[in-house]
């Protein structure tokens, strides 16, 4: 009886572990299925996807914890993209026309001749509507490697002009928490990501409590 009980307990534990793994597998599948660009090697969140798959296969790391981190990063990325789209949507129509795309490229320091803009519109205007919706914009940025890649050229221009160091390695969660504590909401943080360098966010994380209080007020 003891052997049978032990075997049953082991079987139940095994099945529970397999069910938990399948649930995590499905969770990752749904995330990537909606954002195929996460499988692109140069996307800044591809690291999480690869790490989660390795952990699920028995490698190092807690796959559930990694998934939680990925979802937080995706939430921040979505906010940054929404803010960027709003910035470039000069007419406030929830779409980017050729003139908006041209201004976007000027802002980012990309080629912005009419031929360049037309080539880009042809590539990303998937429904051939003559404008770029948010979903198309998100796909375009995702295939470029994410918002970090999109604004990399912009950040380089800021560095060239002001001498800022753009090579800082930023812990986005810690920085976001520090900025929240200082009363800088997520919308403002999303905008700042487009116009300042990563080192500026690192400095924000170093604010002490009295400095955070001063910023809030």
């Amino acid at each position: 009886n003891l052997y049978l009980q032990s075997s049953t307990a082991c079987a139940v534990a095994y099945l529970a572990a397999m069910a938990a793994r399948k649930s995590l597998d499905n969770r990752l599948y749904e995330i990537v299925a909606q954002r195929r660009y996460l499988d692109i090697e140069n996307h800044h969140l591809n690291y999480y996807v690869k790490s989660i798959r390795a952990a699920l296969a028995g490698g190092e790391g807690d796959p559930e914890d990694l998934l939680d981190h990925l979802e937080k990063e995706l939430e921040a990325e979505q906010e940054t993209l929404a803010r960027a789209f709003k910035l470039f949507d000069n007419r406030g129509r929830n779409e980017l026309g050729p003139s908006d795309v041209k201004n976007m490229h000027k802002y980012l320091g990309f080629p912005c001749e009419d031929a360049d803009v037309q080539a880009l519109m042809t590539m990303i205007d998937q429904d051939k509507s003559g404008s770029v919706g948010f979903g198309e914009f998100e796909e375009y940025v995702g295939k470029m490697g994410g918002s970090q890649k999109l604004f990399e050229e912009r950040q380089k221009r800021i560095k060239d002009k002001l001498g800022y160091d753009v090579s800082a390695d930023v812990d986005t969660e810690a920085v976001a928490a520090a900025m929240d504590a200082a009363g800088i909401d997520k919308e403002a943080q999303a905008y700042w990501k487009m116009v300042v360098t990563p080192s500026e966010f690192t400095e924000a994380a170093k604010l002490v409590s009295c400095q955070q209080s001063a910023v809030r007020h």
Side-chain angles (χ1 to χ4, degrees):
N1 287 339
L2 288 176
Y3 174 79
L4 181 60
Q5 289 176 355
S6 177
S7 297
T8 301
C10 287
V12 169
Y14 174 78
L15 290 173
M18 292 300 294
R21 175 178 172 177
K22 184 176 181 180
S23 175
L24 294 174
D25 272 328
N26 290 340
R27 191 171 153 194
L28 178 62
Y29 174 82
E30 289 177 5
I31 289 172
V32 177
Q34 295 173 17
R35 307 169 183 85
R36 298 302 306 176
Y37 50 77
L38 289 176
D39 272 326
I40 298 174
E41 190 74 22
N42 76 326
H43 196 286
H44 69 278
L45 297 180
N46 177 257
Y47 161 79
Y48 283 102
V49 175
K50 291 193 295 186
S51 297
I52 293 164
R53 286 173 176 156
L56 287 170
E60 296 182 0
D62 180 345
E64 186 170 10
D65 183 56
L66 288 167
L67 270 165
D68 289 342
H69 279 285
L70 175 59
E71 288 176 338
K72 288 179 181 178
E73 291 288 348
L74 285 170
E75 181 181 350
E77 176 76 351
Q78 194 75 6
E79 289 170 356
T80 298
L81 292 177
R83 188 68 183 178
F85 189 81
K86 184 177 180 180
L87 174 69
F88 299 133
D89 178 17
N90 296 311
R91 301 168 298 171
R93 298 182 180 180
N94 294 321
E95 62 182 17
L96 305 181
S99 62
D100 299 319
V101 172
K102 187 180 185 74
N103 289 331
M104 177 179 75
H105 268 214
K106 284 181 179 179
Y107 178 87
L108 296 170
F110 296 165
C112 57
E113 297 298 326
D114 290 344
D116 300 314
V117 172
Q118 185 55 51
L120 180 62
M121 291 293 295
T122 300
M123 180 178 69
I124 64 178
D125 180 17
Q126 299 176 3
D127 61 5
K128 309 304 178 186
S129 64
S131 60
V132 177
F134 179 74
E136 293 168 326
F137 175 74
E138 179 185 5
E139 185 76 10
Y140 162 63
V141 176
K143 288 179 178 178
M144 285 185 62
S147 62
Q148 287 186 11
K149 297 288 183 181
L150 179 67
F151 296 110
E152 193 173 74
E153 184 62 30
R154 173 70 174 173
Q155 291 168 352
K156 286 179 181 177
R157 291 172 63 192
I158 292 174
K159 178 188 176 184
D160 291 341
K161 184 176 180 180
L162 301 177
Y164 290 167
D165 178 12
V166 297
S167 62
D169 195 11
V170 179
D171 181 342
T172 54
E173 288 187 31
V175 170
M179 296 182 81
D180 277 335
I184 302 169
D185 62 25
K186 291 182 178 179
E187 183 177 359
Q189 291 180 41
Y191 177 76
W192 281 15
K193 283 183 180 179
M194 298 184 292
V195 296
V196 304
T197 60
S199 59
E200 295 295 289
F201 285 88
T202 303
E203 291 304 311
K206 298 176 183 178
L207 292 174
V208 296
S209 57
C210 61
Q211 291 173 320
Q212 292 176 348
S213 178
V215 172
R216 283 197 299 271
H217 300 290

